[in-house]
Amino acid sequence: MRAHNFGAGPCTLPLHVLEETRDELVDFRGAGMSLLEMSHRSDTYDEVHQGTIDTLRRVAAVPDQLHILFIQGGASLQFGMVPMNLLDTGMQAGYLLTGSWAKGAFEDADLVGDAYVAWDGSVGGFTAMPGEDEVEVRPNTRYVHVTTNETIGGIRLPALPNVGVPLAADMSSDYLTRPIDWDRFDVVYGGVQKNLAPAGLSVVFLRDGAVSETARQLPRYLRYEWHVTGNSLANTPPMFPIWVMGKVLADIEATGGIEALEDRTRAKAERLYRVIDESDGFYRNPVEQRSRSHTNVVFRLDSPELEAEFLEETLRNNMIGMKGHRSVGGLRASLYAALELESVVALAELMEDFAVRHRS
Ligand code: PMP
């Protein structure tokens, strides 16, 4: 039986994508070998590679002014690559400190360039995102960095802030679950291992001409231009996740595209928030209403013992990955793109039933 996978990433992929990958794995379309055994310079791989790029451009409606890059090192490497490539001498970058991941991005930017906190959510315990006009932008700001969804805190940026400069965004945990207003961004990045593919790369969207003069002095892998010139084939790319991502993106396209995925994601989240809100405080979500994440629903019960008991029950019911992040505890249901609504309904029913049985 297939598990209900509420893991925070890597996470569930569409079953038919896994099956199709399995069927093609040993002998790729009659080639007498697996795609995984082929040269990344072969015509066969090139078709797969370009196919994934083309599907991505179509599905996410990416304008020609943005390059699509596949870069290894996960979203974490982008924490450093964004400031290294965008910040010229004399320029600085503003960071919205919205949670653990934004903090990581800010700390790395601070290491390699001039970065400042443009909005600080730590005072509120990272339970809300900033309003559209709350961000303070200093002079000579090259970009403002946002984390559109904080995977650990379970908060989501409801609307992009008005900042008057280009935005840079980490979209790892809500990647493609809503349309992207491309005009606002010079760079968008995210690991693929939640919504889009097996782990192994970041998808980076980079505005043409956005990199600074000084970026030329970076080692090649860290230079965006090197990846642009090579069409993400300057060195050996992670062929497996790129191949599978093409299938996942085709699946998103065939099921109504990003708009439909946005609706499905919202519906899944609403189902769980409804249980929480109607539980009379048995389940508590600490997040301000408008900032509630659609992809990571966090909640607490009255005591660590009760939480442990609940977690036990989820496991007994074939639901995995619900332990909250080790830094914050509690419980978390991640509702990524391929998670079926029926899994969410099963969890919602378990939550309702558990509350009835344990309410004092
Ligand atoms: N940013 C966010 C919002 C994340 O959720 C994660 C991973 N959970 C990261 C960055 C780090 O991603 P990676 O593991 O791909 O480096």
Side-chain angles (χ1 to χ4, degrees), residues 8-9 73-77 79 101 147 149-152 170-173 189-194 201-202 336:
S76 299
L77 182 61
F79 290 173
W101 293 111
T147 307
N149 186 80
E150 285 283 355
T151 324
I152 296 175
D170 173 2
M171 296 195 179
S172 294
S173 52
Y189 65 90
V192 295
Q193 66 272 21
K194 300 172 198 297
L201 73 139
S202 256
Y336 295 133

Side-chain angles (χ1 to χ4, degrees), residues 140-309:
N140 299 325
T141 295
R142 171 65 186 81
Y143 65 85
V144 166
H145 181 279
V146 301
T147 307
T148 52
N149 186 80
E150 285 283 355
T151 324
I152 296 175
I155 60 174
R156 165 188 188 267
L157 195 62
L160 298 174
N162 299 317
V163 289
V165 297
L167 294 170
D170 173 2
M171 296 195 179
S172 294
S173 52
D174 67 346
Y175 228 176
L176 305 195
T177 58
R178 50 178 152 167
I180 300 171
D181 184 359
W182 293 107
D183 288 350
R184 304 287 312 277
F185 296 97
D186 267 11
V187 62
V188 167
Y189 65 90
V192 295
Q193 66 272 21
K194 300 172 198 297
N195 279 328
L196 301 177
L201 73 139
S202 256
V203 168
V204 178
F205 299 97
L206 175 74
R207 182 168 299 283
D208 191 52
V211 296
S212 74
E213 284 291 312
T214 45
R216 285 205 200 123
Q217 285 147 32
L218 294 167
R220 64 185 64 192
Y221 201 86
L222 300 179
R223 233 184 293 144
Y224 281 140
E225 284 303 331
W226 190 68
H227 297 278
V228 170
T229 309
N231 193 29
S232 302
L233 281 162
N235 73 333
T236 319
M239 296 158 69
F240 184 68
I242 291 171
W243 172 36
V244 179
M245 182 161 61
K247 297 178 187 298
V248 174
L249 290 166
D251 183 69
I252 292 175
E253 191 171 37
T255 50
I258 291 191
E259 282 80 8
L261 178 55
E262 181 180 33
D263 290 345
R264 288 198 298 276
T265 308
R266 187 190 302 108
K268 287 188 283 188
E270 276 172 359
R271 184 72 181 89
L272 292 190
Y273 287 123
R274 195 162 76 230
V275 176
I276 293 169
D277 292 342
E278 290 175 0
S279 74
D280 267 337
F282 185 84
Y283 300 107
R284 290 187 314 276
N285 170 268
V287 176
E288 181 209 53
Q289 195 87 15
R290 72 180 182 93
S291 303
R292 282 177 161 183
S293 172
H294 293 184
T295 42
N296 308 100
V297 177
V298 297
F299 56 95
R300 310 238 35 159
L301 282 79
D302 253 350
S303 67
E305 293 73 32
L306 202 55
E307 287 174 348
E309 202 179 328

